Amino acid sequence: MLKVNKHVTRVVAGAVSAGVLMPSCIPAGNYDDLLYIQDQQKRDLGQLAIPMQINLNSSQAAYIGFIQKLSEDIIKYPVIAKQFYNNPKSFMERYGYKGDINMDDDLLKLIIALGDDDINRAVKLGDAGLFIDLCSEKGLLNNRTELYASLRNQFDKQLSDLGLDLPPAEELQAGVALVLIITVLVVVAIVFTVTATETSMNVSGDGEQYAKNNMKQYITENNPVLYMWFMKQKGNDSFLLVDEYTERQVDGLILEIKGRNPKYFEKNSEMDFRNMLKLNAIMTK
Amino acid sequence: MENNITISPTTISFITTNKCSAACKNCCYGCSPQKKDRLSLGEMKDYIDQALDVYSTIKLLVLTGGECFTLGKDLNSIIKYGGERGLKVRVVTNAYWATTFEKAYSRLKGLVEVGLSELNISTGDDHQEWVPYDNIVCAIMSSLEQNIATAVNVETNSISEFNSKKLKEDYRLSEYFEKYKDKLIIIENVWMPFKVSTNNKLKDSLSNNTKEIPTCLKNRCVNLFSTITINPFNKMIACCGLTAEYTSYLNLGNAKKYSIKQLYEHQFDDFMKIWLYTEGPKKILDFIHEKSNTEYFDTSNWHLCQICAEIFQKEQNIEILQKYSSEIFTNVMLKYTLIRES
């Protein structure tokens, strides 16, 4: 059973990616100190692994400029986004560039969203909930069954100890978006792992913005369509999506637990559980 | 190459010296008391000036090491200079100087007076072989009492003995946790072993490890393109991960020979870095396996930087990427230019 430590406000675990906040990390093997020193003395200008020129001959030097302009227009004008995803090849040809763009699924979904009138309206209204609903309804959120399965397997024991025998993806209750419970699943497992070994920690305060940035990074990486919100909503309002998303993840998981294990919240406080998840979800990356 | 695809940095960070009061066995920079390489005060000031002249987006100066407190009065001077140039200033330290509360308070007071905004303290199993735990407590208390934002970064992995529990339960700190909620953050950060013996122990433990967050949740490398990082040899490096120090592709060049702007923007001529930033090393490693018809291996417990190092360590990987990158070039560039706006 999960015992929420009341003195613990948040738990941060694992690979928190924080750039210069924590510069002391990360080797992959066993390096020779001498090589390090030698390399310091060798190069005045860094070596390029894949020089841009490999992909751009001189006549295509303007190509990067074109892509950049295209991005700006796609973000700014939904009609351009629409034209582009409807037929990228002919769109490119109009600008004198031949060849196919092999857009991957994530990119395609993002551009579709940028060209969608309803989704654009939700963004304009600043309605993060409607934005998520529409992305979901239109099939633009990633239903990452592989990720869910991997996490479910990885944290199987912890979840089972919690009484949270989450079902295989295909058996999830209708209406519970898989994408919305993945993060929380990780949080539950990590929190449990951490509390089980009593390594909880108190985290507070100044890290709020940092935490929200982490969550922003997490949700956009796993659902690049959500970048759209941040492209168009600048400033603090952009984090409404983070709040809304977190809230929904927690609701989604609690709903699932109630469906699978109705007695769980007879023994455990739903409010404590909810608060713990919310506090930790935004901190976990 | 003339383009406008750069992302302006928000931070300038100096690995001020590789001299350290400690010689942690798994230190990624191999720092120790015997090392003497360092940036001079003049060099650091010059780099700040150059960077701010070009990038008004820079708001934070980070001073790390080695141990930046070994710079003595130069530490005060560079903090003062950063503050005068309108930057918030963070120092990263092992707190060796915080032997008593009084000494810690006094040392920090001098820094706060000249403009210190944030104290980052590194601790954990390796650090504590050199710096007593009580120093960490004294540093936290003296920093908070001067209302300085304080972060404690606990080096950790699945075989670590020290963790944040001790801090949380320390009766000397309980009042501070309550009173300075808005100023204190404690983070358990992955600390990968650098030495063979520790590495083997960790590898054994990883098979049963469930605490680390799976790699599948770690995609893009956002350490790139956010910070101008200069090491004690006046070399600019592309990120703060250890990979950068041992991979020539992540060494951006000599700041004594080229301007900060030239070095920083040169990295945007490297499609590899844009690809890492946009899609992350895992996808790139998968791409290599696909194109080379080699067997995929399990990286689910690997840190992002380990995967990055795995790519860069083998020259044939780079050759494969060079050969086939045109297939995904437009897709990656378009994605990059779009998410850059988010």
Side-chain angles (χ1 to χ4, degrees), chain A residues 262-279:
Chain A
K263 290 187 175 173
Y264 185 78
F265 290 114
E266 287 174 15
K267 295 176 188 166
N268 300 279
S269 158
E270 182 179 331
M271 190 183 288
D272 284 352
F273 187 78
R274 177 180 292 275
N275 288 338
M276 177 205 60
L277 289 180
K278 280 164 69 175
L279 285 164

Side-chain angles (χ1 to χ4, degrees), chain B residues 37-210:
Chain B
D37 309 287
R38 58 159 287 182
L39 293 169
S40 72
L41 181 60
E43 285 164 345
M44 289 189 279
K45 284 182 176 179
D46 176 43
Y47 297 145
I48 289 172
D49 288 344
Q50 283 191 54
L52 290 180
D53 283 351
V54 187
Y55 305 113
S56 59
T57 46
I58 295 176
K59 304 293 180 202
L60 176 68
L61 166 65
V62 178
L63 303 166
T64 181
E67 176 50 60
C68 63
F69 277 70
T70 63
L71 298 182
K73 285 182 181 171
D74 280 355
L75 180 63
N76 298 48
S77 301
I78 194 62
I79 290 173
K80 184 167 188 283
Y81 192 73
E84 285 170 353
R85 294 298 319 257
L87 299 174
K88 286 190 177 294
V89 186
R90 172 190 300 161
V91 293
V92 183
T93 177
N94 63 21
Y96 78 96
W97 41 271
T99 49
T100 65
F101 174 82
E102 289 73 22
K103 282 183 181 170
Y105 191 95
S106 168
R107 182 70 181 100
L108 276 184
K109 188 166 184 279
L111 301 182
V112 172
E113 282 170 355
V114 293
L116 181 68
S117 325
E118 184 184 316
L119 181 74
N120 271 24
I121 306 162
S122 303
T123 189
D125 284 353
D126 282 3
H127 282 92
Q128 286 179 25
E129 285 184 23
W130 301 88
V131 180
Y133 166 72
D134 279 357
N135 284 38
I136 308 302
V137 175
C138 289
I140 293 171
M141 292 193 301
S142 59
S143 175
L144 290 174
E145 292 216 355
Q146 294 177 72
N147 218 24
I148 292 296
T150 305
V152 184
N153 179 28
V154 182
E155 71 185 61
T156 183
N157 58 44
S158 51
I159 57 171
S160 299
E161 286 179 17
F162 180 82
N163 55 49
S164 51
K165 180 191 171 197
K166 190 167 177 182
L167 282 167
K168 183 180 71 79
E169 293 181 346
D170 194 312
Y171 71 94
R172 293 168 295 180
L173 291 174
S174 56
E175 189 185 322
Y176 290 85
F177 280 126
E178 195 59 38
K179 190 174 172 186
Y180 295 99
K181 278 181 183 168
D182 296 339
K183 291 288 176 191
L184 177 62
I185 182 166
I186 298 175
I187 300 168
E188 283 198 349
N189 185 37
V190 173
W191 171 266
M192 297 296 292
F194 194 42
K195 299 292 179 193
V196 177
S197 55
T198 327
N199 208 4
N200 287 342
K201 264 169 75 182
L202 180 69
K203 275 178 185 165
D204 289 343
S205 78
L206 280 178
S207 56
N208 297 316
N209 173 38
T210 53

Side-chain angles (χ1 to χ4, degrees), chain A residues 2-175:
Chain A
L2 173 69
K3 290 195 172 110
V4 179
N5 184 333
K6 291 192 174 132
H7 301 293
V8 176
T9 54
R10 287 186 193 134
V11 177
V12 185
V16 182
S17 173
V20 289
L21 182 67
M22 46 204 78
S24 305
C25 43
I26 306 293
N30 302 288
Y31 296 85
D32 186 336
D33 198 42
L34 190 60
L35 289 176
Y36 164 54
I37 301 297
Q38 283 173 346
D39 197 58
Q40 300 305 319
Q41 294 162 351
K42 262 194 303 197
R43 298 178 192 282
D44 284 335
L45 191 59
Q47 197 179 3
L48 305 178
I50 311 176
M52 283 289 193
Q53 286 76 3
I54 283 183
N55 294 295
L56 297 169
N57 63 39
S58 56
S59 64
Q60 291 176 311
Y63 188 60
I64 295 288
F66 162 71
I67 289 180
Q68 194 183 346
K69 180 73 170 63
L70 176 62
S71 299
E72 287 167 7
D73 288 348
I74 282 174
I75 293 169
K76 218 170 176 179
Y77 308 111
V79 67
I80 298 278
K82 231 178 275 181
Q83 285 172 8
F84 180 71
Y85 76 71
N86 279 335
N87 195 339
K89 194 175 175 183
S90 74
F91 188 94
M92 300 278 283
E93 279 172 3
R94 269 196 267 159
Y95 289 85
Y97 295 105
K98 290 190 175 172
D100 259 333
I101 299 184
N102 298 313
M103 282 191 287
D104 64 23
D105 197 44
D106 286 343
L107 180 57
L108 192 63
K109 283 177 175 171
L110 174 59
I111 296 175
I112 287 173
L114 284 161
D116 187 284
D117 294 335
D118 296 334
I119 295 177
N120 271 288
R121 206 170 299 121
V123 174
K124 209 168 182 181
L125 288 169
D127 190 335
L130 181 61
F131 173 74
I132 294 172
D133 285 341
L134 288 169
C135 288
S136 179
E137 280 168 23
K138 290 169 190 273
L140 299 174
L141 291 180
N142 288 333
N143 197 24
R144 299 188 62 184
T145 48
E146 278 177 26
L147 176 57
Y148 177 84
S150 155
L151 295 172
R152 185 173 164 272
N153 288 339
Q154 183 153 5
F155 295 108
D156 177 52
K157 186 178 180 306
Q158 286 79 6
L159 291 165
S160 165
D161 289 347
L162 278 168
L164 301 179
D165 53 340
L166 292 179
E170 60 276 13
E171 287 177 23
L172 277 173
Q173 290 190 353

Side-chain angles (χ1 to χ4, degrees), chain B residues 303-333:
Chain B
H303 191 280
L304 206 64
C305 298
Q306 278 181 282
I307 304 174
C308 186
E310 173 69 21
I311 294 170
F312 282 119
Q313 274 178 41
K314 294 173 185 156
E315 198 54 37
Q316 63 265 37
N317 286 343
I318 304 300
E319 287 164 12
I320 290 165
L321 295 174
Q322 288 177 346
K323 188 173 175 186
Y324 293 104
S325 63
S326 61
E327 290 179 16
I328 44 75
F329 181 76
T330 301
N331 182 76
V332 172
M333 288 306 298

